[in-house]
Amino acid sequence: MRQSKLFTKTRKEAPADEVAKNAQLLIRAGYISKEMAGVYAYLPLGLRVQEKIKQIVREEMNAIDGQELIMTALQKKELWESTGRWDDSVVDVWFKSTLKAGGEVGFGWSHEEPIGEMMKNYITSYKDLPISVYQFQTKLRNEMRAKSGIMRGREFIMKDMYSFCADEASHMAYYEATKPAYMKVFERLGIGGDTFVTFAAGGAFTKFSHEFQTICVAGEDVTFINREKGIAINEEVLTEETLTTLQITRDELTKVTTAEVGNIFNFGQQKATDLGLTFKNNEGEDTPVWMGSYGIGVTRLMGVLVEKFADDKGIVWPASVAPFAVHLVVLNTDDADVTDYAEGIHASFKDKGVEVLFDDRDARAGEKFADSDLLGMPYRVVVSKKLKESGQFEVVTRATGEVRMLTEEELFADFTKE
Ligand code: ATP
Ligand code: MG
């Protein structure tokens, strides 16, 4: 993609009312645009990052037999009433509206009820199970606090997955299988070492749920961790009883600030009992389905990556989600020989399947480099009159600042090796 054609421009300042570092940087770099507090549009560069995060999540959910679908944003009042969750005093994040034709609708803040209800059409016998379905949905939540940029939106993208099993053993096996699948996602995003499967508040059916908490100063959670023992406990459930159950003492735990990037819930047969979602077991008896739900905050993750890896010059993307692998920056654009040469390098990168953002703009070197640092592609490749004469390219690794001088042959060998 040519930067000269990209409609977004970098900005020196973020909106005065934007207090979160992630949103400030993403707005300044042109990845997102702020509509209002907690509501952000994703622009071409931001959408590329979002899609890459989704693709990683998609691959790992497919690997554990998840089937992708998409539910609706408008939801039925009667359905949520049937499980006792329509009331604002029970669920405090509802956006609701009225239909002109009469009646009320809710805007999807979660999809357990609609998915469970829909599954009644497809689950009749134990032979239909197990099933796991997931979606990437824009959730709408009337959050009280929206000061964390894209880490807490009133409109945000979540991957939510739901499992349906015939018995406790297959249900628990699936629940357990989601933990390594989730960890693979976080490893691929470069935050595996700082992300912990964390004991958190359970529900009607279980003592604990599990959250995936990533160390992040901008996070809203407090987690107590012990890396050696692989134990992490959300402050909310840090009680004597929890410590005894997990056979650990308070002294062995370190307090850290974290962001919840995902969570998994075991509903047992409770949710299906509430919904009336049953199947006939092999004796022909109606049995409530065993259900679990599994969330990942896609847009929150994008914010966490910015918060964790950015430096004083701007964003630093992990290679796995960067909008482009290479930022090709040409200087001395008043010299046709130089620009022709850079065009050739751009074409070669594209031929070789390397994703390139090509800064072909007629601007000063200082401005181009500052923009490049702000945008945060993993590698910057510089072409200039002087470099052309010496037959070399300057390659800068964004994360470390390491500078290498490579010949054309070395350059392409380097970027096509994987
Ligand atoms: P939190 O405790 O942060 O409010 P939650 O427990 O309500 O989140 P879920 O409803 O289970 O979370 O959502 C699943 C995942 O979606 C969370 O783990 C988080 O990563 C993400 N998420 C939740 N709320 C938001 C939000 N308002 N903005 C962005 N991401 C969110
Ligand atoms: Mg939570």
Side-chain angles (χ1 to χ4, degrees):
M1 173 179 255
R2 284 172 192 277
Q3 219 170 322
S4 60
K5 299 234 168 94
L6 189 65
F7 77 85
T8 57
K9 305 278 175 275
T10 60
R11 296 163 50 168
K12 289 261 177 323
E13 307 288 343
D17 67 342
E18 185 54 72
V19 292
K21 177 169 96 175
N22 64 81
Q24 284 175 349
L25 285 171
L26 289 165
I27 292 169
R28 284 185 48 215
Y31 284 83
I32 63 172
S33 167
K34 186 172 189 168
E35 275 295 308
M36 58 181 119
V39 182
Y40 300 89
Y42 287 76
L43 307 180
L45 295 175
L47 188 59
R48 287 180 77 98
V49 177
Q50 189 190 105
E51 289 299 328
K52 288 192 174 189
I53 297 173
K54 280 161 85 173
Q55 187 54 27
I56 289 173
V57 175
R58 180 177 286 127
E59 285 168 18
E60 298 306 336
M61 297 307 107
N62 290 348
I64 53 171
D65 295 332
Q67 300 179 46
E68 189 171 350
L69 51 72
I70 184 128
M71 298 298 289
T72 64
L74 295 181
Q75 301 183 338
K76 258 171 35 188
K77 171 187 175 178
E78 296 71 25
L79 175 61
W80 287 91
E81 276 178 339
S82 75
T83 59
R85 296 214 292 172
W86 177 255
D87 207 309
D88 292 333
S89 64
V90 180
V91 171
D92 62 2
V93 292
W94 271 119
F95 281 113
K96 296 174 180 173
S97 189
T98 49
L99 292 171
K100 282 191 179 167
E104 277 181 284
V105 286
F107 296 168
W109 63 278
S110 175
H111 284 76
E112 286 140 21
E113 271 79 344
I115 287 208
E117 179 70 13
M118 182 196 65
M119 279 296 172
K120 288 184 188 172
N121 298 320
Y122 303 98
I123 298 173
T124 47
S125 143
Y126 67 95
K127 290 179 193 152
D128 298 325
L129 301 171
I131 296 171
S132 174
V133 295
Y134 72 94
Q135 61 175 349
F136 295 98
Q137 252 275 352
T138 300
K139 305 289 183 199
L140 300 164
R141 292 189 183 180
N142 205 339
E143 300 272 4
M144 204 37 213
R145 188 174 178 277
K147 292 197 170 71
S148 301
I150 62 167
M151 290 174 64
R152 181 171 297 283
R154 295 200 165 100
E155 178 175 329
F156 63 97
I157 294 179
M158 189 200 288
K159 183 282 303 181
D160 44 331
M161 182 164 75
Y162 305 86
S163 66
F164 305 85
C165 292
D167 55 55
E168 184 167 17
S170 63
H171 168 66
M172 285 316 298
Y174 195 78
Y175 186 86
E176 288 305 320
T178 62
K179 291 181 187 168
Y182 268 44
M183 286 310 297
K184 271 191 212 148
V185 169
F186 304 127
E187 278 153 23
R188 290 178 65 181
L189 295 176
I191 54 174
D194 272 353
T195 303
F196 303 88
V197 184
T198 305
F199 289 92
F205 182 76
T206 50
K207 190 167 164 62
F208 297 114
S209 68
H210 294 92
E211 292 173 344
F212 293 77
Q213 294 280 359
T214 305
I215 296 177
C216 178
V217 287
E220 294 177 10
D221 289 349
V222 174
T223 303
F224 289 80
I225 61 168
N226 182 310
R227 284 182 187 267
E228 290 69 43
K229 293 194 172 175
I231 289 181
I233 306 170
N234 189 311
E235 182 181 42
E236 290 166 5
V237 296
L238 188 78
T239 61
E240 279 311 318
E241 199 193 334
T242 303
L243 292 170
T244 313
T245 312
L246 301 179
Q247 299 184 356
I248 196 156
T249 63
R250 173 64 189 82
D251 296 345
E252 295 173 278
L253 297 164
T254 309
K255 184 179 177 178
V256 286
T257 302
T258 55
E260 181 192 318
V261 290
N263 61 22
I264 57 176
F265 280 99
N266 172 2
F267 294 131
Q269 292 172 292
Q270 189 61 53
K271 179 67 70 186
T273 303
D274 294 348
L275 285 165
L277 173 63
T278 61
F279 66 98
K280 293 234 185 284
N281 68 11
N282 52 11
E283 266 128 41
E285 294 156 351
D286 284 325
T287 314
V289 176
W290 292 80
M291 281 178 66
S293 86
Y294 315 86
I296 290 185
V298 171
T299 41
R300 179 176 291 179
L301 270 168
M302 184 167 158
V304 168
L305 296 178
V306 173
E307 293 280 347
K308 280 187 79 73
F309 298 125
D311 59 20
D312 54 0
K313 295 185 196 134
I315 297 168
V316 182
W317 292 115
S320 58
V321 302
F324 296 93
V326 171
H327 199 175
L328 177 64
V329 177
V330 55
L331 308 179
N332 313 115
T333 45
D334 50 352
D335 185 328
D337 285 346
V338 179
T339 53
D340 284 352
Y341 180 61
E343 288 289 342
I345 298 299
H346 180 221
S348 298
F349 268 128
K350 289 212 300 192
D351 285 349
K352 291 174 170 47
V354 179
E355 294 178 306
V356 195
L357 178 64
F358 181 24
D359 187 354
D360 57 341
R361 298 171 305 162
D362 186 15
R364 286 178 302 107
E367 187 183 334
K368 288 191 164 204
F369 290 155
D371 279 355
S372 174
D373 283 335
L374 177 61
L375 289 168
M377 302 318 145
Y379 297 99
R380 173 160 83 219
V381 174
V382 185
V383 175
S384 70
K385 188 175 168 65
K386 218 168 122 193
L387 286 161
K388 178 178 175 284
E389 280 160 8
S390 70
Q392 286 186 311
F393 297 86
E394 185 186 272
V395 180
V396 184
T397 305
R398 177 67 182 86
T400 58
E402 183 199 2
V403 180
R404 290 174 297 159
M405 303 304 279
L406 303 182
T407 63
E408 186 168 335
E409 199 183 330
E410 288 166 341
L411 179 73
F412 288 117
D414 204 59
F415 283 105
T416 50
K417 65 176 177 246
E418 271 101 60

